Amino acid sequence: MTDLPLEQAVRIVEGAAAGDVAVHSVFDEATFTATHVVSDPATRKAAIIDSVLDFDPASGRTSHESADQIIAYVEAEGLEIEWLLETHVHADHLSAAPYLQQRLGGTLAIGRDILTVQSTFGAIFNEGPDFARDGSQFDRLLLDGERFRLGSREGIALHVPGHTPADMAYVIGDVAFVGDTLFMPDYGTARADFPGGDAQALFRSIHRLLGLPDRTRLFLCHDYKAPGREHFMWETTVAAERQGNVHVHSGVTEKAFVAMREARDATLGMPRLILPSIQVNMRGGNLPEPEDNGTRYLKLPLNSL
């Protein structure tokens, strides 16, 4: 990870007018997840970032209420989907990318380091040779600093590991979609204790993002409402994070952050949907193949995480 992609991202933001792209968000309270639709007003081209497949773990049933809200918005606004972007392999919700792609089209993309996640969790779930570990479940694997187009707007992918090895942020116009790397300033930062996570890498990734211009709008993947706050929120700015993030505001050293993050993570339980989520999301949102009785199954490894 070098500074050159960040410098390119800074130029993209600086070259964009305020509100250069439009963002519409749908929040799923069941998983505390914000899905974002970002569009270029000039061309009506759009991307969907971090979608949600509704899943009831007690019954094993899936449904599409959250994704259908996205479809309704896209159709009502006359948007054309160019991209389905995943910031990482989520551990707290299942991706609806295949369903949305079938209905709306678009190129499904994630960071190139998905290969590391597939290798790690392929072993944890004892996946056989039929499970590809080459990222081929996705249409495109993005490298750090790789540029792409959204209509007439330029975007760039930034590798921001720490929460997982494969986290990506996407800068489009004056906006950055940062996944789980940062939360609202009053809530802090992502955990870094999943397999492949690293608190030191997370600190450095956060500071990379905080190197964007102050006015950069940051859209987050989750919000859990900090104590005393009544409403869910998922939009902030680089300036607000730098000044007020309770975990990593200006003046917090890497050593202090790592000590805080590791101590805090040691007290956290595993996310409610981590086992089904990872099995599905490392497959690009696809469910495991049916077994000989026609039923699909998700594994529950005991005493592994």
Side-chain angles (χ1 to χ4, degrees):
M1 188 166 67
T2 68
D3 287 337
L4 181 59
L6 176 61
E7 294 167 6
Q8 295 170 340
V10 168
R11 286 196 291 271
I12 289 173
V13 175
E14 289 178 340
D20 192 50
V21 294
V23 181
H24 173 78
S25 303
V26 172
F27 191 75
D28 175 51
E29 286 196 35
T31 60
F32 305 101
T33 303
T35 297
H36 308 295
V37 182
V38 54
S39 58
D40 170 19
T43 63
R44 313 305 292 168
K45 302 293 179 66
I48 300 171
I49 301 172
D50 292 336
S51 60
V52 174
L53 175 69
D54 300 288
F55 176 68
D56 176 22
S59 66
R61 294 190 182 96
T62 62
S63 58
H64 300 106
E65 288 88 349
S66 296
D68 286 340
Q69 291 182 59
I70 298 294
I71 293 171
Y73 171 77
V74 168
E75 292 178 344
E77 294 296 316
L79 302 178
E80 179 184 346
I81 298 302
E82 287 194 314
W83 295 97
L84 300 158
L85 299 174
E86 298 286 342
T87 55
H88 63 295
V89 172
H90 307 276
D92 35 34
H93 71 273
L94 284 63
S95 171
Y99 175 74
L100 290 168
Q101 188 176 48
Q102 182 182 37
R103 294 286 302 274
L104 301 172
T107 296
L108 175 58
I110 198 169
R112 180 68 169 72
D113 284 271
I114 179 64
L115 276 65
T116 300
V117 176
Q118 288 178 330
S119 176
T120 298
F121 283 97
I124 288 173
F125 289 108
N126 196 32
E127 298 288 353
D130 291 340
F131 171 60
R133 295 161 171 82
D134 59 0
S136 57
Q137 300 88 343
F138 300 83
D139 300 319
R140 186 160 166 187
L141 303 182
L142 295 167
L143 299 172
D144 182 44
E146 189 165 350
R147 297 190 184 206
F148 58 92
R149 304 293 300 183
L150 181 68
S152 63
R153 304 302 195 255
E154 186 175 20
I156 189 169
L158 297 177
H159 185 214
V160 286
H163 175 58
T164 79
D167 281 66
M168 302 296 284
Y170 302 108
V171 178
I172 305 170
D174 65 327
V175 173
F177 300 91
V178 300
D180 289 10
T181 304
L182 282 165
F183 297 137
M184 292 300 294
D186 60 0
Y187 200 87
T189 59
R191 63 194 297 168
D193 61 328
F194 296 151
D198 185 297
Q200 183 182 62
L202 179 61
F203 180 86
R204 295 176 181 180
S205 293
I206 289 169
H207 274 264
R208 195 182 199 205
L209 292 172
L210 297 184
L212 292 168
D214 281 358
R215 70 182 181 90
T216 309
R217 294 184 289 159
L218 303 180
F219 283 85
L220 318 177
C221 188
H222 296 288
D223 185 51
Y224 304 97
K225 283 199 296 192
R229 176 154 53 85
E230 296 183 0
H231 304 290
F232 290 109
M233 302 174 68
W234 48 83
E235 179 182 355
T236 181
T237 65
V238 165
E241 292 283 3
R242 188 185 296 121
Q243 294 165 11
N245 187 288
V246 294
H247 292 166
V248 72
H249 55 79
S250 294
V252 174
T253 66
E254 180 177 298
K255 182 178 180 181
F257 175 83
V258 170
M260 177 282 300
R261 190 69 265 171
E262 291 180 347
R264 182 178 174 86
D265 289 349
T267 70
L268 302 176
M270 287 291 101
R272 182 174 66 97
L273 296 181
I274 184 171
L275 295 176
S277 293
I278 291 177
Q279 289 176 80
V280 170
N281 296 337
M282 70 183 184
R283 291 176 163 87
N286 292 293
L287 301 175
E289 289 299 313
E291 297 193 6
D292 56 11
N293 63 354
T295 301
R296 303 174 190 269
Y297 292 89
L298 293 170
K299 293 182 178 181
L300 195 69
L302 302 179
N303 304 314
S304 295
L305 294 178

